[in-house]
Amino acid sequence: MCGIFGCLGKNCDRLLSIENAHKQLHRGPDDFFCESVTGGYFCFTRLNIMDRTETGRQPFVYKDFVGMTNGEIYNHKALEKEYDIKTIGSSDCELIPELFTKVGVDLPKVLDGMFAIAIADNKTGNVFIVRDHIGIIPLYWGTDTDGRLYFSSEMKCLTAICSTVDIFPPRMYYYGPPEMGELKQWYHMDWVPQPYSWILKRRSTKGCTRECTKRLLR
């Protein structure tokens, strides 16, 4: 469990961003870092799990891209091999900024995991924010009276600075300039909802068993 926080827009206040990001330090007591991005700041509270060294510190920077991820990417090794990504450390999230330069907004479609991800393009000023298809990893966002965009792992980091706060919807991504990006759905359900789900009960049980087995520690 880690925590992400971001402020994007004109005249974002660094100290105010840090102050509010600190409200979720319990999510990541091992480290805190605030990175400047075009038009704002990315703050990350870190719980050391996959890479306990300095190479695992977020946000990660790749060329003009700054990215931070809360969650876990199960297929990061396979993706590093497939897209020829050379990481410095052993974090499962280090590949995210570089991977974005290769696959763009299709990023969540190639990921196997649970995640809330934010990526800033320092060259264009665009931001990419995405949440996993079920919404396992929490993410909230809002705007203040001046139109600045904020997002955070916990709502309490936003209530004092935002005039509106909402849950960032699962299976959706936001991409573009902070003040006028587009919210689009990246994942479409391929299961049958109630009351017809009983038809696929056996198939669902097998699928659940397969996914649980894949994630067992060996």
Side-chain angles (χ1 to χ4, degrees), residues 22 54 62 83 93 96 98 168 214:
H22 275 182
E54 285 293 315
Y62 175 76
Y83 291 96
C93 302
I96 294 298
E98 183 174 353
F168 191 95
K214 182 169 66 174

Side-chain angles (χ1 to χ4, degrees), residues 47-60:
L47 179 65
N48 294 344
I49 298 178
M50 296 295 290
D51 185 342
R52 302 176 65 86
T53 70
E54 285 293 315
T55 59
R57 168 177 266 197
Q58 297 197 54
F60 291 114

Side-chain angles (χ1 to χ4, degrees), residues 34-182:
C34 184
E35 180 78 24
S36 297
V37 299
T38 298
Y41 302 97
F42 276 8
C43 301
F44 191 85
T45 56
R46 180 185 176 196
L47 179 65
N48 294 344
I49 298 178
M50 296 295 290
D51 185 342
R52 302 176 65 86
T53 70
E54 285 293 315
T55 59
R57 168 177 266 197
Q58 297 197 54
F60 291 114
V61 179
Y62 175 76
K63 295 184 177 179
D64 292 321
F65 295 85
V66 179
M68 54 184 180
T69 303
N70 179 26
E72 186 172 358
I73 308 303
Y74 305 120
N75 63 333
H76 68 104
K77 288 294 185 183
L79 290 173
E80 289 167 9
K81 182 177 181 180
E82 179 179 355
Y83 291 96
D84 192 28
I85 295 175
K86 302 295 190 297
T87 58
I88 299 174
S90 58
S91 171
D92 57 311
C93 302
E94 185 182 347
L95 81 161
I96 294 298
E98 183 174 353
L99 184 59
F100 183 75
T101 67
K102 298 175 182 289
V103 300
V105 297
D106 286 331
L107 173 70
K109 294 181 180 180
V110 302
L111 299 180
D112 179 9
M114 50 183 180
F115 50 80
I117 297 172
I119 300 172
D121 183 341
N122 282 332
K123 186 175 182 179
T124 65
N126 288 338
V127 61
F128 178 76
I129 305 172
V130 65
R131 193 177 178 200
D132 64 69
H133 64 297
I134 299 179
I136 301 173
I137 302 300
L139 187 63
Y140 300 86
W141 65 337
T143 56
D144 64 14
T145 55
D146 293 317
R148 284 181 286 263
L149 176 67
Y150 294 85
F151 61 87
S152 180
S153 297
E154 296 198 6
M155 181 182 289
K156 66 183 179 182
C157 299
L158 306 179
T159 52
I161 49 179
C162 292
S163 54
T164 60
V165 178
D166 294 291
I167 296 173
F168 191 95
R171 57 185 175 273
M172 304 287 283
Y173 72 79
Y174 179 87
Y175 181 61
E179 68 280 2
M180 53 182 296
E182 293 184 311

